[in-house]
Amino acid sequence: MPVITCIDDLKRLHKRRTPKMFYDYAESGSYTEQTFRENTTDFAKIRLNQKVAVDMTGRSTAAPMLGESRAMPVALAPVGLTGMQRADGEIKAAKAAEKFGVPFTLSTMSICSIEDVAENTNAPFWFQI
């Protein structure tokens, strides 16, 4: 696997490994794509400043989320048709979320059934409805 240092590296890898119609689906928006363009423009304005040589002793990303302790206050959002991008995509995403201690949300447009995701994971997950 190549070294991935930014989102553009992931996009290039995605484009090489995914059938064109599935890549185009993931890299587009609905109707006029106005929201897609605005989100892309807004995210491009964000600048992260790296801090080096900072003492991280005792730091943690853990935080409570809906009354439960989580490794970090994020969740994998429902992404419809993840299985189009990779076989068993929802199961793999749920396993990754479980491994990192964050909630997974199964989309109502999932390729994998709710039963298959539950059978292949140990952590409870959310369902979009």
Side-chain angles (χ1 to χ4, degrees):
M1 179 171 205
V3 174
I4 296 169
T5 59
C6 64
I7 199 69
D8 288 330
D9 292 344
L10 283 173
K11 283 185 177 184
R12 281 190 289 279
L13 188 62
H14 178 217
K15 192 169 189 173
R16 280 199 320 265
R17 293 185 176 180
T18 308
K20 183 178 179 354
M21 66 181 278
F22 298 149
Y23 176 83
D24 289 347
Y25 171 82
E27 290 296 319
S28 65
S30 60
Y31 302 109
T32 64
E33 296 189 342
Q34 177 181 347
T35 302
F36 179 81
R37 286 191 308 276
E38 289 175 1
N39 286 342
T40 302
T41 300
D42 289 346
F43 280 121
K45 293 175 186 174
I46 296 173
R47 297 290 179 254
L48 302 176
N49 295 319
Q50 182 180 7
K51 292 184 179 183
V52 296
V54 175
D55 182 9
M56 297 301 288
T57 305
R59 299 278 176 105
S60 173
T61 58
M65 188 173 181
L66 298 176
E68 293 186 31
S69 180
R70 300 294 183 177
M72 62 182 85
V74 299
L76 290 189
V79 178
L81 310 173
T82 302
M84 285 190 335
Q85 305 301 321
R86 190 81 167 173
D88 295 330
E90 291 86 1
I91 293 170
K92 290 175 179 161
K95 285 181 174 183
E98 184 175 15
K99 178 180 177 182
F100 287 98
V102 299
F104 170 76
T105 312
L106 185 65
S107 170
T108 54
M109 296 299 293
S110 171
I111 299 293
C112 299
S113 71
I114 192 169
E115 294 84 3
D116 287 344
V117 175
E119 184 179 308
N120 286 280
T121 56
N122 297 310
F125 55 89
W126 301 341
F127 183 67
Q128 174 198 29
I129 191 153

